[in-house]
mmCIF file of all heavy atoms in Angstrom:
data_model
loop_
_atom_site.group_PDB
_atom_site.id
_atom_site.type_symbol
_atom_site.label_atom_id
_atom_site.label_comp_id
_atom_site.label_asym_id
_atom_site.label_seq_id
_atom_site.Cartn_x
_atom_site.Cartn_y
_atom_site.Cartn_z
ATOM 1 N N ALA S 5 4.585 -52.957 92.711
ATOM 2 C CA ALA S 5 3.723 -52.017 91.953
ATOM 3 C C ALA S 5 3.642 -52.367 90.545
ATOM 4 O O ALA S 5 2.513 -52.396 89.915
ATOM 5 C CB ALA S 5 4.083 -50.567 92.208
ATOM 6 N N GLY S 6 4.819 -52.481 89.786
ATOM 7 C CA GLY S 6 4.797 -52.812 88.332
ATOM 8 C C GLY S 6 4.086 -54.224 88.129
ATOM 9 O O GLY S 6 3.319 -54.425 87.241
ATOM 10 N N GLY S 7 4.356 -55.139 89.038
ATOM 11 C CA GLY S 7 3.642 -56.443 88.906
ATOM 12 C C GLY S 7 2.160 -56.305 89.100
ATOM 13 O O GLY S 7 1.486 -56.962 88.456
ATOM 14 N N ALA S 8 1.695 -55.461 90.124
ATOM 15 C CA ALA S 8 0.294 -55.261 90.267
ATOM 16 C C ALA S 8 -0.337 -54.607 89.124
ATOM 17 O O ALA S 8 -1.538 -54.932 88.737
ATOM 18 C CB ALA S 8 0.133 -54.572 91.633
ATOM 19 N N GLN S 9 0.432 -53.711 88.443
ATOM 20 C CA GLN S 9 -0.229 -52.998 87.340
ATOM 21 C C GLN S 9 -0.419 -54.001 86.200
ATOM 22 O O GLN S 9 -1.468 -54.025 85.495
ATOM 23 C CB GLN S 9 0.717 -51.838 86.901
ATOM 24 C CG GLN S 9 0.127 -50.871 85.887
ATOM 25 C CD GLN S 9 0.425 -51.475 84.470
ATOM 26 O OE1 GLN S 9 1.383 -52.086 84.167
ATOM 27 N NE2 GLN S 9 -0.451 -51.080 83.475
ATOM 28 N N GLY S 10 0.599 -54.803 85.946
ATOM 29 C CA GLY S 10 0.520 -55.875 84.859
ATOM 30 C C GLY S 10 -0.598 -56.852 85.104
ATOM 31 O O GLY S 10 -1.270 -57.283 84.198
ATOM 32 N N THR S 11 -0.616 -57.270 86.333
ATOM 33 C CA THR S 11 -1.791 -58.311 86.797
ATOM 34 C C THR S 11 -3.092 -57.714 86.680
ATOM 35 O O THR S 11 -4.060 -58.381 86.232
ATOM 36 C CB THR S 11 -1.483 -58.685 88.219
ATOM 37 O OG1 THR S 11 -0.136 -59.358 88.307
ATOM 38 C CG2 THR S 11 -2.508 -59.867 88.634
ATOM 39 N N ALA S 12 -3.287 -56.384 87.097
ATOM 40 C CA ALA S 12 -4.553 -55.702 86.958
ATOM 41 C C ALA S 12 -4.933 -55.719 85.473
ATOM 42 O O ALA S 12 -6.087 -55.882 85.146
ATOM 43 C CB ALA S 12 -4.556 -54.272 87.429
ATOM 44 N N ARG S 13 -3.979 -55.289 84.579
ATOM 45 C CA ARG S 13 -4.275 -55.292 83.114
ATOM 46 C C ARG S 13 -4.715 -56.562 82.649
ATOM 47 O O ARG S 13 -5.738 -56.714 81.844
ATOM 48 C CB ARG S 13 -3.004 -54.787 82.472
ATOM 49 C CG ARG S 13 -3.243 -54.708 80.955
ATOM 50 C CD ARG S 13 -1.989 -54.061 80.233
ATOM 51 N NE ARG S 13 -0.826 -55.066 80.418
ATOM 52 C CZ ARG S 13 -0.466 -55.983 79.605
ATOM 53 N NH1 ARG S 13 -1.260 -56.287 78.518
ATOM 54 N NH2 ARG S 13 0.533 -56.734 79.873
ATOM 55 N N LEU S 14 -3.920 -57.719 82.894
ATOM 56 C CA LEU S 14 -4.234 -58.990 82.380
ATOM 57 C C LEU S 14 -5.501 -59.557 82.941
ATOM 58 O O LEU S 14 -6.284 -60.223 82.294
ATOM 59 C CB LEU S 14 -3.136 -60.007 82.620
ATOM 60 C CG LEU S 14 -1.878 -59.670 81.823
ATOM 61 C CD1 LEU S 14 -0.585 -60.620 82.355
ATOM 62 C CD2 LEU S 14 -2.072 -59.941 80.472
ATOM 63 N N THR S 15 -5.799 -59.327 84.273
ATOM 64 C CA THR S 15 -7.104 -59.611 84.806
ATOM 65 C C THR S 15 -8.145 -58.994 84.105
ATOM 66 O O THR S 15 -9.274 -59.714 83.795
ATOM 67 C CB THR S 15 -7.070 -59.286 86.313
ATOM 68 O OG1 THR S 15 -5.964 -59.992 87.018
ATOM 69 C CG2 THR S 15 -8.409 -59.821 86.979
ATOM 70 N N GLY S 16 -8.104 -57.655 83.840
ATOM 71 C CA GLY S 16 -9.237 -56.939 83.126
ATOM 72 C C GLY S 16 -9.344 -57.545 81.762
ATOM 73 O O GLY S 16 -10.481 -57.748 81.312
ATOM 74 N N LEU S 17 -8.242 -57.815 81.006
ATOM 75 C CA LEU S 17 -8.411 -58.440 79.768
ATOM 76 C C LEU S 17 -9.069 -59.784 79.690
ATOM 77 O O LEU S 17 -9.820 -60.003 78.786
ATOM 78 C CB LEU S 17 -6.938 -58.457 79.077
ATOM 79 C CG LEU S 17 -6.174 -57.149 78.802
ATOM 80 C CD1 LEU S 17 -4.802 -57.446 78.250
ATOM 81 C CD2 LEU S 17 -7.062 -56.258 77.799
ATOM 82 N N THR S 18 -8.744 -60.683 80.678
ATOM 83 C CA THR S 18 -9.413 -61.911 80.802
ATOM 84 C C THR S 18 -10.896 -61.699 81.178
ATOM 85 O O THR S 18 -11.768 -62.391 80.440
ATOM 86 C CB THR S 18 -8.684 -62.704 81.947
ATOM 87 O OG1 THR S 18 -7.369 -62.969 81.628
ATOM 88 C CG2 THR S 18 -9.451 -64.057 82.107
ATOM 89 N N LEU S 19 -11.248 -60.878 81.926
ATOM 90 C CA LEU S 19 -12.750 -60.616 82.388
ATOM 91 C C LEU S 19 -13.420 -59.976 81.178
ATOM 92 O O LEU S 19 -14.661 -60.313 80.890
ATOM 93 C CB LEU S 19 -12.770 -59.624 83.545
ATOM 94 C CG LEU S 19 -12.359 -60.179 84.868
ATOM 95 C CD1 LEU S 19 -12.394 -58.959 85.997
ATOM 96 C CD2 LEU S 19 -13.146 -61.419 85.282
ATOM 97 N N GLY S 20 -12.678 -59.203 80.365
ATOM 98 C CA GLY S 20 -13.389 -58.633 79.180
ATOM 99 C C GLY S 20 -13.707 -59.640 78.170
ATOM 100 O O GLY S 20 -14.771 -59.824 77.452
ATOM 101 N N SER S 21 -12.811 -60.617 77.982
ATOM 102 C CA SER S 21 -12.957 -61.811 77.065
ATOM 103 C C SER S 21 -14.157 -62.665 77.531
ATOM 104 O O SER S 21 -14.923 -63.193 76.864
ATOM 105 C CB SER S 21 -11.646 -62.663 76.976
ATOM 106 O OG SER S 21 -10.614 -61.816 76.432
ATOM 107 N N LEU S 22 -14.181 -62.933 78.895
ATOM 108 C CA LEU S 22 -15.221 -63.766 79.567
ATOM 109 C C LEU S 22 -16.517 -63.056 79.210
ATOM 110 O O LEU S 22 -17.560 -63.820 79.035
ATOM 111 C CB LEU S 22 -14.882 -63.998 80.978
ATOM 112 C CG LEU S 22 -16.003 -64.687 81.859
ATOM 113 C CD1 LEU S 22 -16.349 -65.975 81.166
ATOM 114 C CD2 LEU S 22 -15.695 -64.685 83.185
ATOM 115 N N LEU S 23 -16.564 -61.708 79.481
ATOM 116 C CA LEU S 23 -17.842 -61.015 79.295
ATOM 117 C C LEU S 23 -18.394 -61.267 77.906
ATOM 118 O O LEU S 23 -19.607 -61.502 77.684
ATOM 119 C CB LEU S 23 -17.644 -59.484 79.487
ATOM 120 C CG LEU S 23 -18.769 -58.516 79.242
ATOM 121 C CD1 LEU S 23 -19.936 -58.989 80.173
ATOM 122 C CD2 LEU S 23 -18.312 -57.095 79.473
ATOM 123 N N MET S 24 -17.535 -61.101 76.829
ATOM 124 C CA MET S 24 -17.916 -61.297 75.553
ATOM 125 C C MET S 24 -18.345 -62.716 75.239
ATOM 126 O O MET S 24 -19.328 -62.976 74.420
ATOM 127 C CB MET S 24 -16.936 -60.774 74.601
ATOM 128 C CG MET S 24 -16.799 -59.327 74.429
ATOM 129 S SD MET S 24 -18.419 -58.418 74.325
ATOM 130 C CE MET S 24 -19.017 -59.088 72.868
ATOM 131 N N SER S 25 -17.717 -63.682 75.824
ATOM 132 C CA SER S 25 -18.113 -65.113 75.627
ATOM 133 C C SER S 25 -19.534 -65.395 76.107
ATOM 134 O O SER S 25 -20.230 -66.021 75.576
ATOM 135 C CB SER S 25 -17.052 -65.971 76.324
ATOM 136 O OG SER S 25 -15.831 -65.907 75.843
ATOM 137 N N LEU S 26 -19.667 -64.624 77.338
ATOM 138 C CA LEU S 26 -21.104 -64.784 77.905
ATOM 139 C C LEU S 26 -22.127 -64.106 76.995
ATOM 140 O O LEU S 26 -23.272 -64.531 76.771
ATOM 141 C CB LEU S 26 -21.172 -64.207 79.254
ATOM 142 C CG LEU S 26 -20.442 -64.820 80.442
ATOM 143 C CD1 LEU S 26 -20.364 -64.071 81.713
ATOM 144 C CD2 LEU S 26 -21.027 -66.231 80.683
ATOM 145 N N MET S 27 -21.846 -62.957 76.455
ATOM 146 C CA MET S 27 -22.685 -62.302 75.637
ATOM 147 C C MET S 27 -23.001 -63.096 74.316
ATOM 148 O O MET S 27 -24.119 -63.187 73.925
ATOM 149 C CB MET S 27 -22.117 -60.959 74.987
ATOM 150 C CG MET S 27 -22.078 -59.829 76.246
ATOM 151 S SD MET S 27 -23.589 -59.263 76.828
ATOM 152 C CE MET S 27 -23.605 -60.050 78.312
ATOM 153 N N PHE S 28 -22.069 -63.750 73.762
ATOM 154 C CA PHE S 28 -22.266 -64.471 72.407
ATOM 155 C C PHE S 28 -22.974 -65.842 72.797
ATOM 156 O O PHE S 28 -23.593 -66.370 71.893
ATOM 157 C CB PHE S 28 -20.976 -64.777 71.682
ATOM 158 C CG PHE S 28 -20.367 -63.507 71.029
ATOM 159 C CD1 PHE S 28 -19.075 -62.935 71.337
ATOM 160 C CD2 PHE S 28 -21.102 -62.899 70.023
ATOM 161 C CE1 PHE S 28 -18.694 -61.857 70.725
ATOM 162 C CE2 PHE S 28 -20.658 -61.845 69.427
ATOM 163 C CZ PHE S 28 -19.354 -61.333 69.685
ATOM 164 N N GLY S 29 -22.717 -66.312 74.009
ATOM 165 C CA GLY S 29 -23.429 -67.494 74.482
ATOM 166 C C GLY S 29 -24.822 -67.357 74.693
ATOM 167 O O GLY S 29 -25.647 -68.233 74.681
ATOM 168 N N LEU S 30 -25.221 -66.176 75.271
ATOM 169 C CA LEU S 30 -26.606 -66.053 75.779
ATOM 170 C C LEU S 30 -27.519 -65.230 74.781
ATOM 171 O O LEU S 30 -28.705 -65.282 74.823
ATOM 172 C CB LEU S 30 -26.409 -65.215 77.095
ATOM 173 C CG LEU S 30 -25.832 -65.785 78.218
ATOM 174 C CD1 LEU S 30 -25.635 -64.872 79.426
ATOM 175 C CD2 LEU S 30 -26.561 -67.106 78.714
ATOM 176 N N LEU S 31 -26.946 -64.413 73.818
ATOM 177 C CA LEU S 31 -27.712 -63.552 72.876
ATOM 178 C C LEU S 31 -27.319 -64.045 71.472
ATOM 179 O O LEU S 31 -26.384 -64.599 71.136
ATOM 180 C CB LEU S 31 -27.288 -62.080 73.215
ATOM 181 C CG LEU S 31 -27.541 -61.557 74.590
ATOM 182 C CD1 LEU S 31 -26.890 -60.145 74.639
ATOM 183 C CD2 LEU S 31 -29.023 -61.524 74.886
ATOM 184 N N PRO S 32 -28.451 -63.695 70.688
ATOM 185 C CA PRO S 32 -28.254 -63.773 69.354
ATOM 186 C C PRO S 32 -26.999 -63.018 68.720
ATOM 187 O O PRO S 32 -26.603 -61.959 69.311
ATOM 188 C CB PRO S 32 -29.507 -63.354 68.567
ATOM 189 C CG PRO S 32 -30.475 -63.364 69.587
ATOM 190 C CD PRO S 32 -29.785 -63.118 70.910
ATOM 191 N N ALA S 33 -26.257 -63.430 67.878
ATOM 192 C CA ALA S 33 -25.014 -62.835 67.387
ATOM 193 C C ALA S 33 -25.282 -61.389 66.859
ATOM 194 O O ALA S 33 -24.348 -60.478 67.171
ATOM 195 C CB ALA S 33 -24.449 -63.505 66.150
ATOM 196 N N HIS S 34 -26.473 -60.926 66.305
ATOM 197 C CA HIS S 34 -26.600 -59.684 65.967
ATOM 198 C C HIS S 34 -26.722 -58.670 67.049
ATOM 199 O O HIS S 34 -26.527 -57.373 66.888
ATOM 200 C CB HIS S 34 -27.856 -59.636 64.945
ATOM 201 C CG HIS S 34 -29.098 -59.945 65.652
ATOM 202 N ND1 HIS S 34 -29.644 -61.001 65.869
ATOM 203 C CD2 HIS S 34 -30.067 -58.888 66.173
ATOM 204 C CE1 HIS S 34 -30.770 -60.953 66.479
ATOM 205 N NE2 HIS S 34 -30.997 -59.667 66.700
ATOM 206 N N SER S 35 -27.180 -59.192 68.136
ATOM 207 C CA SER S 35 -27.348 -58.192 69.188
ATOM 208 C C SER S 35 -26.369 -58.265 70.343
ATOM 209 O O SER S 35 -26.132 -57.423 71.267
ATOM 210 C CB SER S 35 -28.724 -58.434 69.996
ATOM 211 O OG SER S 35 -28.861 -59.768 70.352
ATOM 212 N N ALA S 36 -25.501 -59.390 70.314
ATOM 213 C CA ALA S 36 -24.438 -59.645 71.376
ATOM 214 C C ALA S 36 -23.473 -58.606 71.318
ATOM 215 O O ALA S 36 -22.904 -58.111 72.356
ATOM 216 C CB ALA S 36 -23.840 -61.054 71.213
ATOM 217 N N ALA S 37 -22.999 -58.207 70.163
ATOM 218 C CA ALA S 37 -22.045 -57.186 69.995
ATOM 219 C C ALA S 37 -22.351 -55.769 70.505
ATOM 220 O O ALA S 37 -21.593 -55.163 71.198
ATOM 221 C CB ALA S 37 -21.570 -56.985 68.479
ATOM 222 N N ARG S 38 -23.634 -55.446 70.253
ATOM 223 C CA ARG S 38 -24.137 -54.117 70.781
ATOM 224 C C ARG S 38 -24.391 -54.182 72.224
ATOM 225 O O ARG S 38 -23.922 -53.239 72.939
ATOM 226 C CB ARG S 38 -25.605 -53.847 70.112
ATOM 227 C CG ARG S 38 -26.060 -52.366 70.486
ATOM 228 C CD ARG S 38 -27.351 -52.240 69.981
ATOM 229 N NE ARG S 38 -27.480 -52.140 68.451
ATOM 230 C CZ ARG S 38 -27.278 -50.920 67.871
ATOM 231 N NH1 ARG S 38 -27.245 -49.763 68.644
ATOM 232 N NH2 ARG S 38 -27.380 -50.766 66.610
ATOM 233 N N TRP S 39 -24.775 -55.345 72.779
ATOM 234 C CA TRP S 39 -24.923 -55.420 74.301
ATOM 235 C C TRP S 39 -23.393 -55.413 74.891
ATOM 236 O O TRP S 39 -23.203 -54.946 75.930
ATOM 237 C CB TRP S 39 -25.750 -56.598 74.722
ATOM 238 C CG TRP S 39 -27.179 -56.347 74.738
ATOM 239 C CD1 TRP S 39 -28.004 -56.803 73.824
ATOM 240 C CD2 TRP S 39 -27.766 -55.754 75.653
ATOM 241 N NE1 TRP S 39 -29.327 -56.303 74.149
ATOM 242 C CE2 TRP S 39 -29.198 -55.632 75.337
ATOM 243 C CE3 TRP S 39 -27.361 -55.098 76.927
ATOM 244 C CZ2 TRP S 39 -30.133 -55.014 76.136
ATOM 245 C CZ3 TRP S 39 -28.438 -54.553 77.749
ATOM 246 C CH2 TRP S 39 -29.777 -54.527 77.390
ATOM 247 N N GLY S 40 -22.528 -56.167 74.155
ATOM 248 C CA GLY S 40 -21.100 -56.174 74.684
ATOM 249 C C GLY S 40 -20.475 -54.864 74.706
ATOM 250 O O GLY S 40 -19.875 -54.486 75.789
ATOM 251 N N LEU S 41 -20.787 -54.021 73.799
ATOM 252 C CA LEU S 41 -20.238 -52.566 73.852
ATOM 253 C C LEU S 41 -20.867 -51.843 74.993
ATOM 254 O O LEU S 41 -20.208 -51.008 75.690
ATOM 255 C CB LEU S 41 -20.548 -51.838 72.480
ATOM 256 C CG LEU S 41 -19.780 -52.183 71.353
ATOM 257 C CD1 LEU S 41 -20.355 -51.679 70.036
ATOM 258 C CD2 LEU S 41 -18.273 -51.724 71.535
ATOM 259 N N ALA S 42 -22.157 -52.029 75.302
ATOM 260 C CA ALA S 42 -22.871 -51.441 76.368
ATOM 261 C C ALA S 42 -22.205 -51.789 77.717
ATOM 262 O O ALA S 42 -22.098 -51.018 78.566
ATOM 263 C CB ALA S 42 -24.331 -51.642 76.408
#
């Protein structure tokens, strides 16, 4: 259970980083951050 909790956390952190990489890759810098927050 502890391993699953840690894995879920790290998986989420990786997906969050990937999401922002996509935002910065697809959108202008001035709007990528706002869309990332959304």
Side-chain angles (χ1 to χ4, degrees):
Q9 188 274 330
T11 302
R13 179 178 64 87
L14 290 171
T15 301
L17 295 178
T18 302
L19 291 175
S21 297
L22 175 60
L23 175 62
M24 286 312 303
S25 295
L26 291 172
M27 290 293 104
F28 286 119
L30 298 175
L31 299 172
H34 68 274
S35 59
R38 187 184 287 269
W39 275 101
L41 286 171

